[in-house]
Amino acid sequence: MIRAEGVTKIFGPDGESILPLLEQGKTKDEIQAETGHVVGVRDANFEIEAGEVFCIMGLSGSGKSTLIRCINRLIEPTAGRIFLNDGDNGEREITAMDDAELRELRKRDMSMVFQHFALFPHRTVLANTVYGLEIQRRSAEESRKIGLRVLDMVGLGEWAQSYPHELSGGMQQRVGLARALATEARVLLMDEPFSALDPLIKVNMQQELVRIQKDLERTILFITHDLDEAMRIGDQIAIMDAGQVVQIGNPEEILINPKTEYVANFVEHADPTGVLTAGTIALNFNDDQFKRVEDSGELIYFVRRSDPEGARFGVDRDDRLQAVVPAGHRERVELVGLDDIADRADEMASTGRRDDLALRCDEKAVLRTVLKGRSCSTVPTVVTDADGRLQGIIDEPELIRGILDKKGHREQADSNGAGPEPASGGESKP
């Protein structure tokens, strides 16, 4: 959807003359000390897929707000190219557009939501919402219908005829979001839109954005200095330092594998429970961790090598999990998906942790969901892939490692150059 190639912005009287210094490896501070020019963005390269929430984060002065303004050319890049591919018109180069093309781009293809709400105080909530549609020269009736629809979407339908001063800060930010959505632009550029809000309102707005994104599937470039916010809403995160993009990855990759000390400092105090997945922290189902103890003809049973008297896990010939027999039990016990636990909350609360119940979760389930399940059963939680094949198990040691070390067995295996081996197929089976 959006592609940036070598985007660079240098503030000063002759930014282009500074480009050779960047090629020589001069730092931002060195260039400013020697020439008085300021490097805002340095050789930024990334791609944003259609329908993706792409978060750019960094400390104040890292260049994130400058970069987002280069995307729609509110700030002119000194060097580099930016492309937009909306699927209808093919790929267009934003950095080659003339003034008329840029105006059309900003009216129809890209909307921007700023940190400060920038609402017109003399216009009603509805009139503020449809302002972009007026610029597009939509009819009054069409604008009104679209405006009311998006106001309902952000929970402000009843406030359409109110004025901004009658709304709370969170409600005013919702109007700003509604105004951007009303233009039906496929790309939303959001520059720290929630940073001025109170913590609780901020979380509510993040949840609201995630909900709306599921319905509309817009492409969102979201600027923030809050790592938890980026991890809560971002599909991909780019971290900037001194004008450079120093790491790009999904939230889990950023959390468990920071590439620089700067990134490591960012993630040190991050909450891993909503980011790390069961597949990452699980004890992998492979030769090193499990051994075969029984073949009934129908099922093959395995136990952990470290706990040969513990629970047994039965899989069929395709490694699909079929049974769990806890330690001290002779027969398989009930196997329940974590998604079904909520429907049985009262039952679970009254019985406490049970040893006659095994829980199953998908490898993409986040740590927070697994923790809730561990409060219901003493039996290790089994982790399967989308086809039901056993990927590993999670017990207290794996949970502690995931919470304290922000990593798991899979990450350790990857760092050693050896990923999990498959459980099926001849000698490769545990």
Side-chain angles (χ1 to χ4, degrees), residues 405-419:
D405 297 338
K406 299 184 179 68
K407 64 176 64 175
H409 291 276
R410 179 170 299 177
E411 172 62 18
Q412 291 177 329
D414 290 345
S415 66
N416 293 328

Side-chain angles (χ1 to χ4, degrees), residues 269-283:
H269 302 293
D271 177 10
T273 60
V275 178
L276 290 181
T277 58
T280 293
I281 68 171
L283 183 70

Side-chain angles (χ1 to χ4, degrees), residues 243-396:
Q244 292 182 283
V245 177
V246 294
Q247 185 168 352
I248 298 177
N250 64 45
E252 189 172 28
E253 291 168 347
I254 296 289
L255 186 63
I256 66 178
N257 189 27
K259 298 294 187 182
T260 69
E261 183 179 358
Y262 176 81
V263 178
N265 290 335
F266 255 116
V267 304
E268 182 178 2
H269 302 293
D271 177 10
T273 60
V275 178
L276 290 181
T277 58
T280 293
I281 68 171
L283 183 70
N284 284 330
F285 184 50
N286 60 28
D287 286 337
D288 294 334
Q289 308 292 350
F290 289 81
K291 68 176 181 179
R292 183 185 309 199
V293 293
E294 179 186 346
D295 188 343
S296 68
E298 177 186 0
L299 298 180
I300 305 170
Y301 284 88
F302 299 88
V303 297
R304 283 178 289 181
R305 291 185 183 275
S306 61
D307 187 16
E309 302 302 321
R312 292 181 293 152
F313 307 91
V315 300
D316 63 19
R317 300 295 167 175
D318 293 320
D319 296 336
R320 291 186 175 88
L321 179 71
Q322 302 295 332
V324 176
V325 181
H329 289 249
R330 301 186 62 181
E331 303 293 334
R332 66 178 70 182
V333 296
E334 182 182 8
L335 188 58
V336 180
L338 282 182
D339 292 339
D340 299 324
I341 291 297
D343 298 332
R344 303 171 57 177
D346 293 340
E347 173 193 344
M348 298 300 173
S350 63
T351 59
R353 296 188 76 193
R354 295 167 49 177
D355 66 357
D356 62 344
L357 177 72
L359 301 178
R360 177 209 301 259
C361 73
D362 183 83
E363 60 185 342
K364 295 181 180 179
V366 294
L367 183 55
R368 185 178 298 129
T369 302
V370 178
L371 282 167
K372 293 178 181 178
R374 296 302 303 145
S375 67
C376 302
S377 173
T378 61
V379 183
T381 300
V382 287
V383 182
T384 60
D385 64 14
D387 295 320
R389 293 184 177 85
L390 182 60
Q391 299 298 298
I393 66 169
I394 297 175
D395 213 337
E396 272 59 43

